[in-house]
Amino acid sequence: MLQDIQFDESDVIEAISTISPNSAPGPDGFPAILLKKCKEQLSKPLKLFWRTCLDSGVTVDIHKKNNITPIFKAGDQGDPANYRPVSLTSHLTKVFEKIVRKNIIKHLDDNDLFNPSQHGFREGRSCLSQLLSHYDTILTQLEEGKDVDVIYIDFSKAFDKVDHTILLSKLKAIGLDGKILKWIESFLTNRKQVVVVECATSEPADIKSGVPQGSVLGPLLFIIMISDIDEGIKYSSLSSFADDTRLKNAIQNLMDSFKL
């Protein structure tokens, strides 16, 4: 069970070192380049700040705010659907997220809690590893003289629709509790976002569901959320890259096409 984590200045410095110096600042306006240039001097106050936040189970409001910048893709510039939203969050929060994420991943690895069919946001895995596994299964079944049915599943706005209550219950089920779970709950809830276009800023809007876009912890929390996606599947094999999922089954007769 993971209820608390221990970290020191060296962990803070290590986390800061992985941040790109050219990353745009989040709502708190703290630039990445300053964080990197002064990481030794800032490591102790940041360690004390995040230790206090973890002990109290609180994420301060400014660190629960997202700046959404729309990036034009193609087509009519007057159509909002032709813009890709990029979410900017605080670099100070990302530093602690990296520390928390490292400890959660170690807990999941040590207890063999990762779903082996998940290829997204995992070290040593990628969309290529999922593709190779997918083709290997198909070719093996074809060589055995079987046909193969494949169903492709893509959840619409999957990251934005994560229910916080369900996610928190799943985190507790895999052994996250105590200070860690309380802090994650604060991190997820009562968040706000604004849209920023040049010098104009929209009114803040409440975020009532989803894992925080642009965050470090968001992708890990999402794959924990869908880690039970293959429960109840008896005959088919499944592989996922985040929410993009492939379900396949060898077909030898008509009834096989109805089996999952």
Side-chain angles (χ1 to χ4, degrees):
M1 181 169 289
L2 183 64
Q3 296 182 318
D4 193 6
I5 61 173
Q6 301 302 320
F7 58 98
D8 55 24
E9 288 90 339
S10 64
D11 296 305
V12 175
I13 291 173
E14 180 184 351
I16 293 174
S17 298
T18 62
I19 294 176
S20 170
N22 300 318
S23 299
D28 58 4
F30 203 99
I33 186 66
L34 176 60
L35 194 59
K36 290 184 74 72
K37 291 285 187 180
C38 304
K39 58 186 177 182
E40 286 82 7
Q41 294 82 358
L42 291 171
S43 61
K44 184 172 182 178
L46 285 177
K47 181 254 183 181
L48 294 173
F49 172 74
W50 286 115
R51 184 69 255 177
T52 301
C53 289
L54 183 59
D55 288 340
S56 58
V58 171
T59 303
V60 296
D61 289 343
I62 189 62
H63 293 158
K64 295 198 287 185
K65 186 178 178 183
N66 294 19
N67 281 356
I68 307 297
T69 301
I71 305 298
F72 179 65
K73 295 185 293 186
D76 180 9
Q77 293 189 0
D79 184 356
N82 292 330
Y83 289 81
R84 177 172 58 90
V86 174
S87 179
L88 301 177
T89 59
S90 169
H91 292 304
L92 298 178
T93 310
K94 287 178 179 177
V95 169
F96 188 54
E97 286 182 73
K98 289 176 183 288
I99 295 171
V100 173
R101 181 181 182 274
K102 180 180 178 180
N103 282 270
I104 293 177
I105 287 177
K106 184 178 186 305
H107 169 75
L108 296 175
D109 281 333
D110 290 348
N111 295 280
D112 195 25
L113 293 171
F114 275 116
N115 187 327
S117 69
Q118 178 60 252
H119 292 258
F121 311 116
R122 294 185 58 188
E123 185 176 354
R125 296 194 172 201
S126 64
C127 57
L128 180 59
S129 66
Q130 185 207 27
L131 185 64
L132 291 173
S133 173
H134 178 68
Y135 274 108
D136 181 64
T137 302
I138 291 176
L139 290 174
T140 299
Q141 291 172 342
L142 291 177
E143 288 173 353
E144 293 174 356
K146 304 172 184 176
D147 292 328
V148 183
D149 276 1
V150 181
I151 299 174
Y152 294 85
I153 303 171
D154 185 12
F155 298 97
S156 176
K157 300 186 182 300
F159 278 63
D160 297 328
K161 294 179 179 178
V162 170
D163 182 282
H164 294 154
T165 302
I166 296 174
L167 173 58
L168 290 169
S169 68
K170 289 188 176 183
L171 293 175
K172 190 167 186 175
I174 62 171
L176 271 62
D177 209 338
K179 294 179 180 180
I180 285 289
L181 188 62
K182 188 177 179 182
W183 182 84
I184 292 175
E185 181 177 7
S186 176
F187 173 75
L188 287 172
T189 55
N190 299 316
R191 299 186 70 92
K192 294 183 181 294
Q193 66 182 22
V194 298
V195 178
V196 180
V197 179
E198 296 181 351
C199 296
T201 303
S202 71
E203 290 294 320
D206 293 331
I207 303 174
K208 298 181 179 180
S209 64
V211 293
Q213 300 282 355
S215 67
V216 173
L217 273 177
L220 176 60
L221 294 176
F222 180 80
I223 65 172
I224 292 173
M225 177 70 178
I226 66 166
S227 61
D228 55 357
I229 189 173
D230 51 3
E231 284 190 9
I233 296 177
K234 296 181 179 180
Y235 304 102
S236 302
S237 59
L238 178 148
S239 63
S240 300
F241 184 86
D243 62 307
D244 294 331
T245 300
R246 295 166 175 171
L247 194 65
K248 50 191 173 292
N249 189 19
I251 304 297
Q252 293 182 287
N253 54 61
L254 182 60
M255 292 306 298
D256 286 341
S257 62
F258 295 97
K259 294 179 180 179
L260 286 178

